[in-house]
Protein backbone atom coordinates (compact mmCIF):
# COMPACT_ATOMS: atom_id res chain seq x y z
CA UNK A 1 0.00 0.00 0.00
CA UNK A 2 1.22 3.49 -0.78
CA UNK A 3 1.43 6.26 1.77
CA UNK A 4 0.02 9.74 1.41
CA UNK A 5 0.93 12.92 3.30
CA UNK A 6 -0.81 16.27 2.88
CA UNK A 7 -0.42 19.57 4.67
CA UNK A 8 -2.56 22.70 4.55
CA UNK A 9 -1.67 25.74 6.66
CA UNK A 10 -2.68 29.37 7.07
CA UNK A 11 0.95 30.52 6.96
CA UNK A 12 3.98 29.13 5.09
CA UNK A 13 5.05 26.18 7.23
CA UNK A 14 7.87 23.71 6.81
CA UNK A 15 7.03 20.04 6.66
CA UNK A 16 10.44 18.71 7.70
CA UNK A 17 9.23 17.10 10.96
CA UNK A 18 6.28 15.27 9.42
CA UNK A 19 8.21 14.39 6.25
CA UNK A 20 11.02 12.97 8.35
CA UNK A 21 8.74 10.33 9.89
CA UNK A 22 6.87 9.83 6.64
CA UNK A 23 10.05 9.25 4.58
CA UNK A 24 11.11 6.48 6.98
CA UNK A 25 8.11 4.54 5.71
CA UNK A 26 9.69 4.57 2.27
CA UNK A 27 11.92 1.57 2.71
CA UNK A 28 13.16 1.74 6.32
CA UNK A 29 10.28 1.02 8.74
CA UNK A 30 7.85 -0.06 6.05
CA UNK A 31 7.95 -1.77 2.67
CA UNK A 32 7.22 1.13 0.30
CA UNK A 33 10.28 1.45 -1.82
CA UNK A 34 9.14 1.98 -5.39
CA UNK A 35 9.74 5.72 -5.47
CA UNK A 36 8.31 8.79 -3.84
CA UNK A 37 7.46 12.38 -4.58
CA UNK A 38 6.50 15.67 -2.99
CA UNK A 39 5.00 18.92 -4.25
CA UNK A 40 5.13 22.24 -2.40
CA UNK A 41 3.03 25.19 -3.46
CA UNK A 42 4.55 28.61 -3.01
CA UNK A 43 1.82 31.00 -4.03
CA UNK A 44 0.66 29.81 -7.45
CA UNK A 45 4.05 28.22 -8.15
CA UNK A 46 4.89 24.65 -7.30
CA UNK A 47 8.08 22.79 -6.47
CA UNK A 48 7.74 19.22 -7.60
CA UNK A 49 10.26 16.55 -6.68
CA UNK A 50 9.95 12.91 -7.64
CA UNK A 51 12.42 10.07 -7.37
CA UNK A 52 12.23 6.39 -8.15
CA UNK A 53 14.74 5.67 -5.41
CA UNK A 54 13.56 4.73 -1.91
CA UNK A 55 12.52 7.80 0.11
CA UNK A 56 14.65 6.63 3.05
CA UNK A 57 17.87 6.72 0.97
CA UNK A 58 17.13 9.22 -1.87
CA UNK A 59 19.43 12.27 -1.93
CA UNK A 60 16.45 14.37 -3.02
CA UNK A 61 14.52 13.23 0.08
CA UNK A 62 17.59 14.12 2.14
CA UNK A 63 17.41 17.63 0.68
CA UNK A 64 13.74 17.92 1.69
CA UNK A 65 14.56 16.80 5.25
CA UNK A 66 17.40 19.32 5.60
CA UNK A 67 16.10 22.31 3.67
CA UNK A 68 12.99 23.77 5.34
CA UNK A 69 10.87 24.67 2.32
CA UNK A 70 7.93 26.66 3.66
CA UNK A 71 4.58 26.13 2.01
CA UNK A 72 0.87 26.43 2.73
CA UNK A 73 -0.01 23.34 0.71
CA UNK A 74 2.06 20.17 0.41
CA UNK A 75 1.31 16.73 -1.02
CA UNK A 76 3.73 13.83 -0.66
CA UNK A 77 3.54 10.20 -1.69
CA UNK A 78 5.56 7.07 -1.17
CA UNK A 79 4.87 4.44 -3.76
CA UNK A 80 4.43 0.69 -3.58
CA UNK A 81 3.83 -0.21 -7.20
CA UNK A 82 0.52 -1.95 -7.89
CA UNK A 83 0.12 -0.90 -11.55
CA UNK A 84 2.79 0.49 -13.86
CA UNK A 85 6.52 -0.15 -13.72
CA UNK A 86 8.91 1.60 -11.32
CA UNK A 87 9.87 4.63 -13.38
CA UNK A 88 9.93 8.37 -12.94
CA UNK A 89 6.78 9.02 -14.96
CA UNK A 90 4.81 6.76 -12.60
CA UNK A 91 5.86 8.56 -9.40
CA UNK A 92 3.18 10.60 -7.64
CA UNK A 93 2.27 13.36 -7.12
CA UNK A 94 1.21 14.26 -10.66
CA UNK A 95 0.89 17.88 -11.80
CA UNK A 96 -1.33 19.43 -14.47
CA UNK A 97 -2.34 23.00 -15.28
CA UNK A 98 -6.01 23.99 -15.53
CA UNK A 99 -7.48 27.53 -15.67
CA UNK A 100 -4.00 29.00 -15.14
CA UNK A 101 -3.43 27.11 -11.86
CA UNK A 102 -1.35 24.04 -11.14
CA UNK A 103 -3.19 21.02 -9.72
CA UNK A 104 -1.34 18.34 -7.76
CA UNK A 105 -2.71 14.85 -7.14
CA UNK A 106 -1.57 11.70 -5.34
CA UNK A 107 -3.43 8.42 -4.89
CA UNK A 108 -3.24 5.43 -2.63
CA UNK A 109 -5.13 2.31 -3.62
CA UNK A 110 -5.83 0.23 -6.66
CA UNK A 111 -8.50 0.77 -9.30
CA UNK A 112 -9.75 -2.22 -11.25
CA UNK A 113 -11.13 -1.97 -14.78
CA UNK A 114 -10.97 1.80 -14.69
CA UNK A 115 -10.64 2.83 -18.33
CA UNK A 116 -12.53 6.12 -18.71
CA UNK A 117 -12.86 7.90 -22.04
CA UNK A 118 -10.14 10.52 -22.12
CA UNK A 119 -11.27 12.54 -25.12
CA UNK A 120 -9.82 15.74 -23.90
CA UNK A 121 -6.81 17.66 -22.92
CA UNK A 122 -5.40 15.59 -20.09
CA UNK A 123 -3.60 12.40 -21.04
CA UNK A 124 -1.54 10.12 -18.78
CA UNK A 125 2.21 10.10 -19.44
CA UNK A 126 2.77 6.93 -17.42
CA UNK A 127 0.87 3.70 -17.01
CA UNK A 128 -0.78 3.99 -13.59
CA UNK A 129 -4.47 3.79 -12.74
CA UNK A 130 -3.79 6.84 -10.52
CA UNK A 131 -2.67 9.19 -13.29
CA UNK A 132 -5.61 7.97 -15.40
CA UNK A 133 -7.98 8.88 -12.55
CA UNK A 134 -6.33 12.30 -12.18
CA UNK A 135 -6.62 13.03 -15.91
CA UNK A 136 -10.27 12.04 -15.88
CA UNK A 137 -10.95 14.25 -12.84
CA UNK A 138 -9.22 17.21 -14.54
CA UNK A 139 -11.16 16.61 -17.75
CA UNK A 140 -14.49 16.52 -15.91
CA UNK A 141 -13.63 19.55 -13.73
CA UNK A 142 -12.76 21.47 -16.90
CA UNK A 143 -16.21 20.63 -18.27
CA UNK A 144 -17.99 21.61 -15.04
CA UNK A 145 -16.54 25.09 -14.52
CA UNK A 146 -15.41 27.91 -16.82
CA UNK A 147 -12.65 29.08 -14.48
CA UNK A 148 -11.28 28.34 -11.01
CA UNK A 149 -14.41 27.80 -8.88
CA UNK A 150 -14.64 28.55 -5.16
CA UNK A 151 -13.41 25.84 -2.80
CA UNK A 152 -17.01 25.02 -1.84
CA UNK A 153 -18.09 24.68 -5.48
CA UNK A 154 -15.13 22.51 -6.32
CA UNK A 155 -15.83 20.28 -3.30
CA UNK A 156 -19.41 19.84 -4.55
CA UNK A 157 -18.24 18.90 -8.05
CA UNK A 158 -15.71 16.43 -6.62
CA UNK A 159 -18.49 14.83 -4.55
CA UNK A 160 -20.35 14.13 -7.81
CA UNK A 161 -17.30 12.87 -9.71
CA UNK A 162 -15.37 10.85 -7.13
CA UNK A 163 -17.93 8.04 -6.62
CA UNK A 164 -17.66 7.25 -10.35
CA UNK A 165 -14.00 6.39 -9.79
CA UNK A 166 -14.30 4.99 -6.26
CA UNK A 167 -16.57 2.16 -7.35
CA UNK A 168 -13.60 0.71 -9.24
CA UNK A 169 -11.59 0.05 -6.08
CA UNK A 170 -9.68 1.83 -3.36
CA UNK A 171 -9.47 5.55 -4.01
CA UNK A 172 -7.72 7.41 -1.21
CA UNK A 173 -6.41 10.63 -2.72
CA UNK A 174 -5.08 14.11 -2.03
CA UNK A 175 -5.60 17.05 -4.41
CA UNK A 176 -4.47 20.67 -4.15
CA UNK A 177 -4.39 23.79 -6.30
CA UNK A 178 -2.35 25.79 -3.79
CA UNK A 179 -5.48 27.33 -2.29
CA UNK A 180 -7.05 24.30 -0.61
CA UNK A 181 -6.33 20.65 0.10
CA UNK A 182 -8.95 18.08 -0.79
CA UNK A 183 -8.97 14.46 0.37
CA UNK A 184 -11.11 11.40 -0.11
CA UNK A 185 -10.75 8.13 1.77
CA UNK A 186 -12.06 4.78 0.63
CA UNK A 187 -10.19 3.12 3.47
CA UNK A 188 -7.46 4.88 5.47
CA UNK A 189 -6.71 8.58 5.84
CA UNK A 190 -6.26 10.45 9.11
CA UNK A 191 -5.89 14.12 9.89
CA UNK A 192 -4.81 16.25 12.79
CA UNK A 193 -5.32 19.99 13.30
CA UNK A 194 -2.35 21.65 14.96
CA UNK A 195 -3.22 24.98 16.58
CA UNK A 196 -2.85 27.04 19.72
CA UNK A 197 -2.04 25.87 22.37
CA UNK A 198 0.68 23.92 20.55
CA UNK A 199 2.17 20.92 22.31
CA UNK A 200 4.95 18.37 21.96
CA UNK A 201 4.61 15.65 19.31
CA UNK A 202 6.64 12.45 18.97
CA UNK A 203 7.10 10.59 15.69
CA UNK A 204 6.02 6.95 15.59
CA UNK A 205 8.70 5.98 13.05
CA UNK A 206 11.77 7.76 14.29
CA UNK A 207 13.23 8.69 17.64
CA UNK A 208 12.32 12.34 17.19
CA UNK A 209 9.99 14.76 18.90
CA UNK A 210 9.30 18.43 18.47
CA UNK A 211 7.70 21.03 20.70
CA UNK A 212 5.55 22.94 18.21
CA UNK A 213 5.05 25.71 20.81
CA UNK A 214 8.68 26.73 20.21
CA UNK A 215 8.27 26.98 16.44
CA UNK A 216 4.84 28.58 16.02
CA UNK A 217 2.90 31.75 16.62
CA UNK A 218 -0.44 31.87 18.36
CA UNK A 219 -2.46 32.29 15.16
CA UNK A 220 -0.79 29.48 13.19
CA UNK A 221 -3.07 26.69 12.06
CA UNK A 222 -1.86 23.56 10.30
CA UNK A 223 -3.81 20.53 9.09
CA UNK A 224 -1.88 17.34 8.35
CA UNK A 225 -3.55 14.47 6.48
CA UNK A 226 -1.82 11.12 6.27
CA UNK A 227 -2.51 7.45 5.61
CA UNK A 228 -1.61 6.35 9.14
CA UNK A 229 -1.02 8.71 12.11
CA UNK A 230 2.57 9.96 12.18
CA UNK A 231 2.80 10.78 15.88
CA UNK A 232 1.93 8.91 19.07
CA UNK A 233 0.66 11.85 21.13
CA UNK A 234 -1.75 13.86 18.95
CA UNK A 235 -5.48 13.58 18.28
CA UNK A 236 -5.63 11.99 14.85
CA UNK A 237 -9.11 11.70 13.34
CA UNK A 238 -9.97 9.00 10.81
CA UNK A 239 -11.63 10.36 7.67
CA UNK A 240 -15.15 9.08 7.11
CA UNK A 241 -14.91 6.77 4.08
CA UNK A 242 -16.67 7.87 0.91
CA UNK A 243 -16.72 11.60 1.68
CA UNK A 244 -14.67 14.41 0.08
CA UNK A 245 -13.10 16.73 2.69
CA UNK A 246 -11.45 20.10 2.13
CA UNK A 247 -9.07 22.18 4.22
CA UNK A 248 -8.35 25.88 3.80
CA UNK A 249 -5.99 27.91 5.98
CA UNK A 250 -5.33 24.91 8.22
CA UNK A 251 -8.96 24.24 9.02
CA UNK A 252 -11.78 22.09 7.64
CA UNK A 253 -13.67 24.06 4.98
CA UNK B 1 19.61 38.81 -19.98
CA UNK B 2 18.71 35.28 -18.97
CA UNK B 3 20.90 32.30 -19.64
CA UNK B 4 19.83 29.04 -21.25
CA UNK B 5 21.46 25.63 -21.12
CA UNK B 6 20.28 22.57 -23.01
CA UNK B 7 21.69 19.08 -23.38
CA UNK B 8 20.72 16.26 -25.71
CA UNK B 9 22.59 12.95 -25.63
CA UNK B 10 22.33 9.46 -27.05
CA UNK B 11 22.90 7.90 -23.63
CA UNK B 12 21.93 9.08 -20.12
CA UNK B 13 24.59 11.66 -19.30
CA UNK B 14 25.13 13.81 -16.24
CA UNK B 15 25.22 17.53 -16.68
CA UNK B 16 27.16 18.35 -13.47
CA UNK B 17 30.23 19.78 -15.28
CA UNK B 18 28.30 22.10 -17.60
CA UNK B 19 25.78 23.01 -14.91
CA UNK B 20 28.60 23.90 -12.55
CA UNK B 21 29.90 26.64 -14.85
CA UNK B 22 26.40 27.66 -15.86
CA UNK B 23 25.19 28.05 -12.24
CA UNK B 24 28.08 30.43 -11.53
CA UNK B 25 26.42 32.82 -13.95
CA UNK B 26 23.45 32.92 -11.60
CA UNK B 27 24.77 35.57 -9.26
CA UNK B 28 28.49 34.93 -8.94
CA UNK B 29 30.28 35.74 -12.23
CA UNK B 30 27.25 37.36 -13.85
CA UNK B 31 24.20 39.33 -12.79
CA UNK B 32 21.40 36.78 -13.22
CA UNK B 33 20.00 36.33 -9.77
CA UNK B 34 16.24 36.27 -10.09
CA UNK B 35 15.83 32.51 -9.86
CA UNK B 36 16.72 29.50 -11.91
CA UNK B 37 15.38 26.12 -12.88
CA UNK B 38 16.31 22.84 -14.50
CA UNK B 39 14.35 19.93 -15.97
CA UNK B 40 15.77 16.46 -16.60
CA UNK B 41 13.94 13.90 -18.66
CA UNK B 42 14.29 10.29 -17.61
CA UNK B 43 12.40 8.35 -20.25
CA UNK B 44 8.99 10.00 -20.44
CA UNK B 45 9.25 11.23 -16.85
CA UNK B 46 10.70 14.58 -15.89
CA UNK B 47 12.44 15.96 -12.83
CA UNK B 48 11.72 19.62 -12.57
CA UNK B 49 13.47 21.87 -10.07
CA UNK B 50 12.94 25.60 -9.81
CA UNK B 51 14.08 28.08 -7.21
CA UNK B 52 13.73 31.82 -6.87
CA UNK B 53 17.02 31.98 -5.00
CA UNK B 54 20.24 32.71 -6.90
CA UNK B 55 21.61 29.61 -8.67
CA UNK B 56 25.06 30.24 -7.20
CA UNK B 57 23.76 29.94 -3.60
CA UNK B 58 20.55 27.85 -3.88
CA UNK B 59 20.66 24.57 -1.92
CA UNK B 60 18.68 22.95 -4.74
CA UNK B 61 21.37 24.02 -7.25
CA UNK B 62 23.94 22.57 -4.85
CA UNK B 63 22.08 19.24 -5.01
CA UNK B 64 22.17 19.30 -8.82
CA UNK B 65 25.94 19.97 -8.78
CA UNK B 66 26.62 17.12 -6.34
CA UNK B 67 24.11 14.50 -7.42
CA UNK B 68 24.85 13.27 -10.95
CA UNK B 69 21.35 12.93 -12.37
CA UNK B 70 21.74 11.18 -15.72
CA UNK B 71 19.46 12.26 -18.53
CA UNK B 72 19.28 12.34 -22.32
CA UNK B 73 17.50 15.69 -22.40
CA UNK B 74 18.06 18.60 -20.03
CA UNK B 75 16.93 22.22 -20.10
CA UNK B 76 18.16 24.77 -17.55
CA UNK B 77 17.56 28.47 -17.17
CA UNK B 78 18.89 31.28 -15.04
CA UNK B 79 16.55 34.21 -14.84
CA UNK B 80 17.06 37.93 -14.96
CA UNK B 81 13.53 39.26 -14.58
CA UNK B 82 12.34 41.44 -17.46
CA UNK B 83 8.59 40.79 -17.09
CA UNK B 84 6.78 39.31 -14.08
CA UNK B 85 7.84 39.48 -10.46
CA UNK B 86 10.49 37.24 -8.90
CA UNK B 87 8.34 34.34 -7.75
CA UNK B 88 8.34 30.60 -8.15
CA UNK B 89 5.60 30.52 -10.80
CA UNK B 90 7.72 32.77 -13.04
CA UNK B 91 10.83 30.56 -12.95
CA UNK B 92 11.68 28.69 -16.15
CA UNK B 93 11.65 26.03 -17.41
CA UNK B 94 7.88 25.60 -17.68
CA UNK B 95 6.26 22.17 -18.07
CA UNK B 96 3.00 21.15 -19.72
CA UNK B 97 1.56 17.83 -20.86
CA UNK B 98 0.37 17.32 -24.45
CA UNK B 99 -0.50 14.01 -26.17
CA UNK B 100 0.59 12.09 -23.05
CA UNK B 101 4.12 13.59 -23.11
CA UNK B 102 5.67 16.29 -20.98
CA UNK B 103 6.99 19.36 -22.80
CA UNK B 104 9.62 21.59 -21.22
CA UNK B 105 10.33 25.15 -22.36
CA UNK B 106 12.71 27.96 -21.37
CA UNK B 107 13.12 31.37 -22.97
CA UNK B 108 15.71 34.10 -23.04
CA UNK B 109 14.71 37.50 -24.34
CA UNK B 110 11.86 39.91 -24.10
CA UNK B 111 8.64 39.95 -26.11
CA UNK B 112 6.85 43.25 -26.57
CA UNK B 113 3.08 43.50 -27.09
CA UNK B 114 2.76 39.75 -27.35
CA UNK B 115 -0.82 39.03 -26.26
CA UNK B 116 -2.01 36.06 -28.31
CA UNK B 117 -5.52 34.65 -28.01
CA UNK B 118 -5.29 31.72 -25.61
CA UNK B 119 -8.69 30.15 -26.20
CA UNK B 120 -7.58 26.70 -25.37
CA UNK B 121 -6.18 24.37 -22.88
CA UNK B 122 -2.88 25.97 -21.98
CA UNK B 123 -3.01 29.01 -19.71
CA UNK B 124 -0.09 30.78 -18.04
CA UNK B 125 0.11 30.41 -14.26
CA UNK B 126 2.57 33.29 -13.87
CA UNK B 127 2.94 36.68 -15.53
CA UNK B 128 5.84 36.27 -17.95
CA UNK B 129 5.85 36.81 -21.70
CA UNK B 130 7.78 33.53 -21.84
CA UNK B 131 5.08 31.32 -20.34
CA UNK B 132 2.53 33.07 -22.57
CA UNK B 133 4.64 32.19 -25.62
CA UNK B 134 4.96 28.58 -24.44
CA UNK B 135 1.19 28.25 -23.90
CA UNK B 136 0.52 29.65 -27.36
CA UNK B 137 3.05 27.27 -28.93
CA UNK B 138 1.45 24.29 -27.14
CA UNK B 139 -2.02 25.44 -28.22
CA UNK B 140 -0.98 25.73 -31.85
CA UNK B 141 0.96 22.45 -31.82
CA UNK B 142 -2.15 20.74 -30.41
CA UNK B 143 -4.14 22.10 -33.35
CA UNK B 144 -1.53 21.04 -35.91
CA UNK B 145 -1.12 17.36 -34.98
CA UNK B 146 -3.44 14.68 -33.61
CA UNK B 147 -0.70 12.98 -31.61
CA UNK B 148 3.05 13.22 -31.02
CA UNK B 149 4.48 13.92 -34.50
CA UNK B 150 7.93 12.85 -35.65
CA UNK B 151 10.82 15.15 -34.77
CA UNK B 152 11.02 16.30 -38.40
CA UNK B 153 7.30 17.11 -38.57
CA UNK B 154 7.44 18.99 -35.30
CA UNK B 155 10.45 20.98 -36.47
CA UNK B 156 8.51 21.95 -39.61
CA UNK B 157 5.49 23.09 -37.56
CA UNK B 158 7.74 25.09 -35.22
CA UNK B 159 9.31 26.81 -38.24
CA UNK B 160 5.82 28.02 -39.19
CA UNK B 161 4.84 29.10 -35.69
CA UNK B 162 8.01 30.61 -34.23
CA UNK B 163 8.26 33.66 -36.56
CA UNK B 164 4.81 34.74 -35.34
CA UNK B 165 6.28 35.10 -31.85
CA UNK B 166 9.79 36.20 -32.83
CA UNK B 167 8.58 39.36 -34.55
CA UNK B 168 7.58 40.62 -31.07
CA UNK B 169 11.16 40.74 -29.81
CA UNK B 170 14.00 38.49 -28.74
CA UNK B 171 12.97 34.86 -28.75
CA UNK B 172 15.84 32.54 -27.90
CA UNK B 173 14.29 29.34 -26.58
CA UNK B 174 14.84 25.67 -25.80
CA UNK B 175 12.07 23.06 -26.00
CA UNK B 176 12.14 19.33 -25.32
CA UNK B 177 9.70 16.44 -25.04
CA UNK B 178 12.33 13.97 -23.83
CA UNK B 179 12.89 12.69 -27.36
CA UNK B 180 14.55 15.71 -28.99
CA UNK B 181 15.82 19.17 -28.10
CA UNK B 182 14.67 22.11 -30.20
CA UNK B 183 16.25 25.56 -30.14
CA UNK B 184 15.67 28.89 -31.82
CA UNK B 185 17.96 31.90 -31.60
CA UNK B 186 16.98 35.49 -32.29
CA UNK B 187 20.35 36.64 -30.98
CA UNK B 188 22.66 34.37 -28.98
CA UNK B 189 22.75 30.59 -28.70
CA UNK B 190 25.79 28.38 -29.20
CA UNK B 191 26.17 24.63 -29.39
CA UNK B 192 28.95 22.11 -29.21
CA UNK B 193 28.89 18.44 -30.20
CA UNK B 194 30.97 16.28 -27.87
CA UNK B 195 31.92 12.95 -29.39
CA UNK B 196 34.81 10.56 -29.97
CA UNK B 197 37.69 11.38 -29.68
CA UNK B 198 36.79 13.16 -26.46
CA UNK B 199 39.17 15.77 -25.12
CA UNK B 200 39.75 18.01 -22.12
CA UNK B 201 37.44 20.97 -21.57
CA UNK B 202 37.95 23.92 -19.22
CA UNK B 203 35.11 26.03 -17.82
CA UNK B 204 35.20 29.75 -18.51
CA UNK B 205 33.47 30.63 -15.23
CA UNK B 206 35.16 28.39 -12.71
CA UNK B 207 38.60 26.98 -12.19
CA UNK B 208 37.53 23.53 -13.30
CA UNK B 209 38.36 21.26 -16.19
CA UNK B 210 37.36 17.73 -17.09
CA UNK B 211 38.83 15.16 -19.42
CA UNK B 212 35.72 13.75 -21.10
CA UNK B 213 37.77 10.83 -22.45
CA UNK B 214 37.89 9.45 -18.90
CA UNK B 215 34.11 9.61 -18.44
CA UNK B 216 32.76 8.48 -21.79
CA UNK B 217 32.52 5.51 -24.11
CA UNK B 218 33.45 5.63 -27.77
CA UNK B 219 29.85 5.76 -29.01
CA UNK B 220 28.66 8.52 -26.67
CA UNK B 221 27.38 11.66 -28.34
CA UNK B 222 26.33 14.78 -26.47
CA UNK B 223 25.09 18.13 -27.78
CA UNK B 224 25.20 21.11 -25.43
CA UNK B 225 23.37 24.32 -26.34
CA UNK B 226 23.96 27.45 -24.30
CA UNK B 227 23.60 31.23 -24.48
CA UNK B 228 27.35 31.87 -24.32
CA UNK B 229 30.06 29.19 -24.67
CA UNK B 230 30.78 27.52 -21.33
CA UNK B 231 34.31 26.33 -22.05
CA UNK B 232 37.43 27.96 -23.47
CA UNK B 233 38.78 25.01 -25.46
CA UNK B 234 35.89 23.53 -27.45
CA UNK B 235 34.44 24.31 -30.89
CA UNK B 236 31.28 26.23 -30.08
CA UNK B 237 29.08 27.07 -33.07
CA UNK B 238 26.78 30.09 -33.05
CA UNK B 239 23.21 29.23 -34.05
CA UNK B 240 22.04 30.98 -37.20
CA UNK B 241 19.44 33.52 -36.05
CA UNK B 242 15.83 32.94 -37.10
CA UNK B 243 16.11 29.20 -37.68
CA UNK B 244 14.70 26.32 -35.59
CA UNK B 245 17.29 23.60 -34.91
CA UNK B 246 16.71 20.11 -33.49
CA UNK B 247 19.03 17.58 -31.87
CA UNK B 248 18.32 13.88 -31.44
CA UNK B 249 20.71 11.38 -29.85
CA UNK B 250 23.38 14.05 -29.46
CA UNK B 251 23.42 15.08 -33.10
CA UNK B 252 21.72 17.67 -35.30
CA UNK B 253 18.50 16.22 -36.69
Amino acid sequence: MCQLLGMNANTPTDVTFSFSGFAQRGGATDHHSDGWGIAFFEGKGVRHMVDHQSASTSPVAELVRRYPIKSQNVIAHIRKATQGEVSLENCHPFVRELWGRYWVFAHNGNLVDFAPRLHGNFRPVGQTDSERAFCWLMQELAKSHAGVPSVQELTRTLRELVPQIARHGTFNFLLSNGEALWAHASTHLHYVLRRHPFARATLSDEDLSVNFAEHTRENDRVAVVVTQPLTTDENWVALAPGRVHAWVDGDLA
Side-chain angles (χ1 to χ4, degrees), chain A residues 3-250:
Chain A
Q3 297 268 344
L4 296 171
L5 168 70
M7 187 200 74
N8 168 268
N10 69 340
T11 189
T13 302
D14 80 67
V15 75
T16 46
F17 172 73
S18 295
F19 184 77
S20 189
F22 180 69
Q24 285 301 310
R25 298 189 180 169
T29 63
D30 207 341
H31 54 84
H32 307 97
S33 46
D34 295 335
W36 67 282
I38 189 164
F40 302 85
F41 278 96
E42 287 181 42
K44 295 170 78 182
V46 67
R47 287 178 201 273
H48 179 228
M49 298 176 186
V50 283
D51 205 342
H52 40 52
Q53 296 186 52
S54 151
S56 59
T57 56
S58 152
V60 189
E62 181 61 22
L63 174 90
V64 175
R65 273 192 293 269
R66 283 163 177 262
Y67 177 39
I69 299 169
K70 285 179 186 286
S71 172
Q72 287 183 245
N73 285 283
V74 176
I75 290 180
H77 181 271
I78 294 173
R79 182 159 185 256
K80 176 69 194 163
T82 51
Q83 295 186 24
E85 56 181 330
V86 180
S87 60
L88 197 63
E89 69 264 28
N90 287 332
C91 289
H92 310 216
F94 302 101
V95 184
R96 291 292 187 279
E97 174 263 314
L98 173 60
W99 303 310
R101 298 288 305 228
Y102 293 118
W103 298 76
V104 168
F105 174 89
H107 168 222
N108 152 339
N110 195 27
L111 302 171
V112 180
D113 296 332
F114 178 65
R117 265 192 75 203
L118 294 175
H119 48 73
N121 309 305
F122 302 94
R123 299 270 173 91
V125 174
Q127 300 84 41
T128 62
D129 52 344
S130 310
E131 193 185 8
R132 208 149 59 226
F134 178 41
C135 289
W136 185 79
L137 272 182
M138 287 289 100
Q139 166 182 300
E140 299 302 311
L141 289 177
K143 282 195 251 174
S144 305
H145 303 276
V148 185
S150 72
V151 172
Q152 288 71 21
E153 283 177 305
L154 200 97
T155 303
R156 273 198 294 275
T157 310
L158 287 172
R159 284 179 180 156
E160 288 168 17
L161 297 173
V162 167
Q164 300 177 53
I165 303 176
R167 61 192 167 86
H168 289 274
T170 309
F171 193 47
N172 304 312
F173 77 79
L174 298 175
L175 174 74
S176 181
N177 66 349
E179 185 189 358
L181 176 70
W182 288 270
H184 173 269
S186 293
T187 54
H188 306 294
L189 273 180
H190 298 78
Y191 74 92
V192 69
L193 300 178
R194 292 177 182 150
R195 57 180 60 193
H196 187 77
F198 288 94
R200 179 165 287 279
T202 309
L203 288 177
S204 321
D205 297 81
E206 214 173 7
D207 186 18
L208 189 65
S209 76
V210 65
N211 184 354
F212 286 119
E214 293 167 8
H215 301 277
T216 49
R217 291 165 307 173
E218 196 169 315
N219 296 327
D220 291 357
R221 281 201 312 265
V222 183
V224 175
V225 189
V226 71
T227 303
Q228 295 296 340
L230 285 170
T231 56
T232 52
D233 41 14
E234 292 183 293
N235 293 320
W236 292 90
V237 181
L239 252 66
R243 189 165 172 81
V244 174
H245 294 72
W247 292 264
V248 176
D249 289 334

